[in-house]
Amino acid sequence: EYMGEYSKIRCKIMRVFLRAKSTYANQSVMPRLPITNLDVACHKYLRSVQPLLTVEEFAKTSKAVEDLKNGPGPMLHAKLTEHAANLPNWLEPWWDTGAYLQYQDPLPFKSNYYFMLADQAMTASDPQTRRGALLIHGCTTFKTMLDRELVPPDEVKGTPLCMSQIARLFSHVRVPDEHQDKMLNFSHQSSSLPTRNFITEYITLPTPPRHIFVLRKGHFFKLDVLAADGTPYSVAELEEGLNAIKATADKLPAATPVGVLTTSSRPVWAKHHSVLAKHNQSLFTEINSALFFVCLDETPSNWSESDSSANLFHGKDNNIFNRFYDKHQIIVFSNGRAGFNFEHAPGDGTTALNLAQYVVAHGKTVNLGSLTAKLAPVHSKWEIPTETPSHITEATNVLKATINECKSNLVRIQGFGAKHIKAAKFAPDAFAQMAKQLAYYNMYGINTATYESGSTRAFLHGRTETIRTVSPESHAFVSAMDHPKIPNNRKRQLQLSLLKRACDQHSAYSRDASSGIGCDRVFLGLRRIAARDGIPMPEIFTDKAFGLGCDWRLSTSNCGSPALSLFGFGPVCDGGYGCGYFIEENSLVWNITTQGREANANDFAAVLQSSVQQLQQLIETPS
């Protein structure tokens, strides 16, 4: 009876997929990313930095902007337009290299992002291997649908979104190199240009990859998860394979934890990688081509959400040795709690969320299946060069010191969420952003440059544009929330009015950013053109305000879904805060991360909670 119901559900799902367009159906008609008009970009830029500067500093910056507009700006903009004419996406090669592949800081702290998936009740004797098997099966089912182009193309309110990132969810790897990392992809790919990334090197193997790697106590195990015909092995078969891996690993001597080297700065890892690769070339080929990694961690049952967040962020306790950050990873705790850690270079959270939502839903409906095939995991043994143990010791010491500087804290506001914010006629995301602005102002007494990621997937190969949260309107709002000279009989009405203006301004900037209209990406293009052609760098880009306006003390991103219980990433600058958040109908959730002594995750979380309550009272108090 259960199989009958399951088969009916599967048939309904497949009928929906077969009626839908193929995954890449919209790629050939996707519009190209626009280049923001110079005057518009300059206007947006000046408004975003004004609250960060003194009157004198702003006057100097305004002159630098005028000098750009009346000097080399139009010529640089014309050259950028000419450069863009023959590219699928003018930004892609510069963004993928400058934002990721040339970035030298350690991946877990400054680049990767992570999801904690919604918990799922497990009745198995080992909830870890059952949940792991369900997630693997969900991923491989999604992969087979993707290979057949049966994953429906994304859209928002009828607008198609680019699907070029989605194939890089599987068999993708970031390989360290001294000056610029490489991206390699071994997955099935359409031969048409619109699905291919400009920077990625696509490698065709004699047979498509069918395996993953499973990490347990730092040991590497290769496990086939697709049959020879590409069919996913059943949940029961995968679970048995994971049980065999645990049983073997738990009896082995301590591993030489090669994976910890992926936590090093990229040039350091590149140097150590070149040494290892001379002795382990075939193993690296298997690792690089693997569909993804699964980490079976050892975790206590009494961990808090913040502990769990830290484990997904950078590993906790001995799990720091159970990672390989150059690949996408599924991380499964002893009690069946699980999450993803995604390498950021190949794609953004909106694409990864597709996979997360699918596997969570899949895990609730899929049958365990039969035990027809007996999987044979292979314990992959590294050949360890003489110098590698000292490299591992060095990496471990640096990693532990860095982890000691990092903190994670959760803010969960229950009983107040999107429903209540919309009822008061505010946009939920803008409201959440103003809550962070108020919290920072309450804590430090100043405004700070704030980054929110705005997706530009409405364009071919689109990634993101910066939504600059700080504005004259946001500054006026936070300043008025505790201004001693505002009469009490006018205070609430004025504060509400200023909050409304600040939220409307933020929503307008967000819409523009998603339409490819901002200042950050076009300014990147102008700087790249100037450097390419030997043109003196305009003063606007060497001015104090430019550095201050890009010192993202608040780095934020909204990536909510019922499939997730939290979302996070590290801060992008010293003294800054990483703020992954999502907005549910009846709750607000922030995951706050910090690194270093200048920022305090616990204090900021407490002030943020207080600031949200302050705003809740403001919008819900009767007039």
Side-chain angles (χ1 to χ4, degrees), residues 392-409:
I392 290 173
T393 299
E394 174 191 343
T396 300
N397 291 338
V398 172
L399 174 61
K400 288 181 176 179
T402 306
I403 288 174
N404 285 337
E405 295 180 342
C406 294
K407 295 290 182 289
S408 301
N409 206 314

Side-chain angles (χ1 to χ4, degrees), residues 99-387:
Y100 297 107
L101 300 182
Q102 292 172 351
Y103 199 70
Q104 297 188 342
D105 286 343
L107 295 187
F109 302 103
K110 298 296 187 184
S111 183
N112 287 20
Y113 61 96
Y114 58 94
F115 295 160
M116 184 183 292
L117 302 177
D119 287 339
Q120 181 174 343
M122 294 286 124
T123 57
S125 58
D126 188 339
Q128 182 177 50
T129 55
R130 172 65 58 81
R131 187 77 190 277
L134 288 169
L135 293 172
I136 294 168
H137 194 271
C139 287
T140 54
T141 304
F142 189 90
K143 169 76 165 60
T144 56
M145 289 163 47
L146 182 60
D147 287 348
R148 297 169 63 193
E149 300 189 9
L150 291 175
V151 176
D154 290 343
E155 62 175 49
V156 173
K157 297 180 180 179
T159 299
L161 301 182
C162 181
M163 299 297 286
S164 64
Q165 297 176 25
I166 198 165
R168 301 197 294 278
L169 288 171
F170 301 101
S171 294
H172 198 90
V173 64
R174 177 169 171 170
V175 178
D177 211 341
E178 185 178 2
H179 301 294
Q180 178 178 305
D181 288 358
K182 300 174 183 176
M183 288 194 292
L184 309 180
N185 190 280
F186 300 80
S187 66
H188 170 83
Q189 289 286 317
S190 168
S191 60
S192 60
L193 177 64
T195 67
R196 287 187 170 237
N197 173 261
F198 192 86
I199 297 297
T200 300
E201 181 182 347
Y202 293 92
I203 298 172
T204 302
L205 297 176
T207 57
R210 300 189 293 114
H211 66 283
I212 65 172
F213 269 85
V214 179
L215 288 176
R216 173 68 175 178
K217 293 187 174 182
H219 292 283
F220 286 64
F221 292 85
K222 181 184 175 185
L223 179 68
D224 283 344
V225 292
L226 297 171
D229 64 355
T231 305
Y233 286 121
S234 72
V235 176
E237 290 163 342
L238 294 167
E239 184 177 7
E240 186 178 65
L242 295 181
N243 283 328
I245 287 171
K246 281 186 70 173
T248 300
D250 291 354
K251 294 175 184 176
L252 290 171
T256 302
V258 171
V260 78
L261 294 173
T262 65
T263 68
S264 300
S265 70
R266 301 310 286 176
V268 170
W269 171 216
K271 181 177 67 174
H272 300 339
H273 182 279
S274 65
V275 173
L276 267 174
K278 292 175 184 176
H279 302 267
N280 297 276
Q281 194 58 58
S282 61
L283 178 52
F284 268 119
T285 298
E286 291 180 334
I287 286 172
N288 292 346
S289 61
L291 299 175
F292 49 87
F293 266 54
V294 173
C295 308
L296 300 179
D297 282 2
E298 296 180 286
T299 57
S301 58
N302 62 345
W303 267 3
S304 66
E305 274 194 304
S306 292
D307 291 327
S308 299
S309 172
N311 194 47
L312 294 172
F313 180 13
H314 48 60
K316 190 171 170 63
D317 300 336
N318 285 334
N319 298 315
I320 65 173
F321 302 116
N322 210 46
R323 298 287 184 272
F324 198 85
Y325 289 102
D326 293 359
K327 299 278 291 186
H328 300 319
Q329 304 171 94
I330 298 173
I331 299 167
V332 192
F333 297 17
S334 298
N335 62 1
R337 174 170 282 179
F340 284 95
N341 185 292
F342 287 100
E343 201 284 293
H344 206 334
D348 302 309
T350 55
T351 298
L353 189 59
N354 270 358
L355 178 62
Q357 290 177 145
Y358 180 85
V359 298
V360 168
H362 181 85
K364 295 176 181 177
T365 59
V366 66
N367 193 338
L368 298 182
S370 61
L371 266 173
T372 303
K374 187 172 182 62
L375 307 189
V378 176
H379 181 209
S380 299
K381 298 177 182 178
W382 293 91
E383 185 177 335
I384 304 297
T386 306
E387 53 268 67

Side-chain angles (χ1 to χ4, degrees), residues 438-446 577 599-605 607:
L438 180 59
Y440 197 92
Y441 193 83
N442 284 343
M443 187 163 170
Y444 293 100
I446 59 172
Y577 296 87
N600 189 307
N602 294 340
D603 287 353
F604 188 72
V607 175

